[in-house]
Amino acid sequence: MTAAGNPRTLHGAPEHCSLPDTPLADARAGLDNCVHCGFCLQACPTYVVLEDENDSPRGRLLLMRSLLEGSLSPDDESVRGHLDRCLGCRACETACPAGVPYGHLLEATRATLTARHPLPIGARMLLALFARPWFLRIALGLGRFARALRLGAVLGRVLPGRYGFAVHMLEATRVPLRRRAYEPPPATSGATFATLEGCVMQGLYAETNRATRRTLVVNGYRPIEAPGQRCCGALHAHAGDLAGARRLAQRNVDAFERSGAEYVVSNAAGCGAMLKEYGQLFEGEDGDWAARGARIAARARDVSELLASAGPVPGGALDARVTYDAPCHLLHAQRVSAPPLKVLAAIPGLTLVPLADADYCCGAAGIYNLLEPDTSASVLAPKLEHIAKTKADLVTTGNPGCLMQIGAGLRRSGSRARTVHPVDLLDASYGERFGVNGGGGGAG
């Protein structure tokens, strides 16, 4: 019953909930915001490539409502298929005039369905790996070893399908820059920050993490360590494992509270979006976790936000033709658009070429490209065509999944363009200005 004593309604009719006491039932209020306008359709990558209303946000919202009302069964494989094919890019939220919280509804629906029908064994193994830091370190260490041996360059040409693409993704984690070493003088009075080290970022992009720290110090921020971090929980939440996401988030809330840092910084768009939603993740949980999560969320920033707020300090010249692709969870989930461009504008000599449909998903979506390789490839294809038209040397984007997905696609297509994080470009530029040794600047 509502506070007014009237039954809640679904689709204008008296409530009949076939899935009581489930995450979807708890999130059902968001469904009532949808006015069926259809603005979300052309913003949705899966609708554009599959041309099926059931693979659009509007169609999936109707499926969610039908599950609640009981006109569709959670055992219906076709319903689960349409929901599984959603990338979770949240571009529909940017397009929606009614403020439908689609991302949270999707996670709640997947959590409801996975309670009845467990995820495929491959997905469960991947999520288990990310929840166990020692096993994850071993796996990523083996990945770095394979990368050092350049096994991906060979295997990517001979392995079929998703397996070949996966090793191309590993090759794409090489940072294609030469940079001069420099050590910024420590700031003495600026705001403090602790970096979310991340799983893939620390495991395969550790140099980008170090560049994040250096560039922030150049811009007056003071680093603080935050030991005890774990995976942010985003992969688990997106897959419907909300309990697993909360367990990981609790460890991070503890770690960042102990650090006392004024800001919690992420250089991975998906992880940053998860951090900023920790308060909502813990809603309804026992104790004060929701309030504690909300306090961490209020301190969370993408690295580009802090850099742009400080200037950033201009660097030295880099001679490169670059195009920027906006990560979905930075643009649509965090609503951060201008700061990355302001970071790139601080690099003299950089030729920034606009990318058509830069706000359109690349098809990475966490582990989606491994679970739904055909749809992922169809979503990626127009992105690669637009990149080719820019004639860029480098494609820059602030999320590891996007860096690997686009990078693998470029390699598989035979393109000479490579992917790089915006912070790595700024760091290389600072090396040109402040460095005293090492190689020259430009694309490597």
Side-chain angles (χ1 to χ4, degrees):
M1 301 290 284
T2 65
N6 297 318
R8 290 191 182 92
T9 61
L10 286 173
H11 207 42
E15 173 188 317
H16 168 70
C17 183
S18 293
L19 298 170
D21 303 317
T22 61
L24 179 55
D26 293 340
R28 61 188 164 191
L31 288 171
D32 294 328
N33 291 354
C34 181
V35 296
H36 315 290
C37 65
F39 287 180
C40 60
L41 298 184
Q42 291 305 315
C44 176
T46 54
Y47 176 76
V48 170
V49 301
L50 299 175
E51 299 182 326
D52 186 335
E53 174 80 11
N54 291 310
D55 289 310
S56 74
R58 184 173 66 181
R60 291 183 178 113
L61 290 170
L62 181 58
L63 294 178
M64 296 173 196
R65 186 182 295 280
S66 298
L67 288 169
L68 280 177
E69 293 178 340
S71 57
L72 286 175
S73 168
D75 299 323
D76 189 323
E77 290 187 7
S78 65
V79 171
R80 300 201 306 273
H82 290 303
L83 293 167
D84 287 343
R85 279 194 290 275
C86 180
L87 290 149
C89 69
R90 298 171 66 171
C92 54
E93 293 186 18
T94 301
C96 179
V100 176
Y102 179 85
H104 298 299
L105 286 164
L106 178 67
E107 290 176 358
T109 304
R110 285 176 171 169
T112 299
L113 295 179
T114 54
R116 294 167 175 256
H117 300 278
L119 293 166
I121 183 64
R124 295 203 303 274
M125 290 176 64
L126 275 172
L127 293 179
L129 181 68
F130 277 84
R132 291 163 174 79
W134 282 107
F135 289 109
L136 184 61
R137 289 190 190 104
I138 292 171
L140 293 175
L142 291 173
R144 292 193 300 274
F145 180 70
R147 183 179 64 185
L149 295 178
R150 294 193 174 272
L151 293 180
V154 177
L155 295 177
R157 292 193 291 267
V158 298
L159 290 177
R162 72 180 74 183
Y163 305 106
F165 194 82
V167 293
H168 277 303
M169 289 173 64
L170 179 63
E171 281 296 297
T173 63
R174 298 178 184 278
V175 179
L177 293 172
R178 301 183 303 273
R179 45 187 148 191
R180 298 178 187 271
Y182 72 99
E183 190 60 40
T188 58
S189 59
T192 58
F193 72 93
T195 304
L196 176 70
E197 294 176 352
C199 303
V200 174
M201 289 305 298
Q202 186 61 24
L204 297 176
Y205 289 98
E207 184 55 36
T208 305
N209 275 357
R210 290 189 285 271
T212 296
R213 184 185 182 105
R214 287 192 296 265
T215 55
L216 286 170
V217 170
V218 168
N219 283 277
Y221 296 99
R222 292 180 292 149
I224 289 180
E225 299 300 324
Q229 298 179 40
R230 300 285 289 276
C231 169
C232 70
L235 292 179
H236 299 75
H238 300 336
D241 181 11
L242 294 180
R246 290 183 186 115
R247 286 192 296 270
L248 293 166
Q250 286 173 345
R251 297 291 295 270
N252 289 328
V253 169
D254 284 337
F256 291 121
E257 283 180 340
R258 286 193 303 268
S259 76
E262 295 170 71
Y263 294 111
V264 179
V265 176
S266 173
N267 53 21
C271 302
M274 187 77 245
L275 280 174
K276 291 181 178 181
E277 294 174 355
Y278 270 4
Q280 188 160 8
L281 178 66
F282 288 118
E283 278 184 0
E285 292 298 294
D286 293 336
D288 60 350
W289 281 110
R292 293 173 65 189
R295 286 194 291 270
I296 295 300
R299 290 152 56 185
R301 299 289 188 277
D302 183 75
V303 58
S304 66
E305 293 181 273
L306 290 188
L307 289 170
S309 178
V313 172
L318 290 184
D319 180 17
R321 186 177 177 89
V322 176
T323 194
Y324 172 69
D325 187 65
C328 293
H329 278 80
L330 188 61
L331 181 63
H332 302 304
Q334 299 186 54
R335 305 298 174 95
V336 173
S337 57
L341 298 174
K342 194 171 181 182
V343 168
L344 296 174
I347 305 173
L350 206 67
T351 302
L352 185 61
V353 187
L355 177 64
D357 291 338
D359 57 345
Y360 188 83
C361 186
C362 68
I367 59 175
Y368 183 97
N369 51 7
L370 301 178
L371 300 178
E372 300 282 347
D374 294 337
T375 306
S376 176
S378 296
V379 172
L380 175 62
K383 179 78 67 182
L384 297 177
E385 292 174 4
H386 292 319
I387 290 171
K389 291 176 182 177
T390 69
K391 295 181 170 55
D393 307 310
L394 299 170
V395 181
T396 187
T397 187
N399 190 60
C402 306
L403 288 165
M404 296 168 73
Q405 169 86 348
I406 297 172
L410 291 170
R411 280 169 166 75
R412 175 167 278 189
S413 70
S415 171
R416 295 179 63 85
R418 294 294 180 258
T419 52
V420 64
H421 198 290
V423 162
D424 284 311
L425 285 169
L426 184 64
D427 185 59
S429 176
Y430 285 165
E432 290 302 301
R433 178 175 176 183
F434 305 116
V436 294
N437 53 44

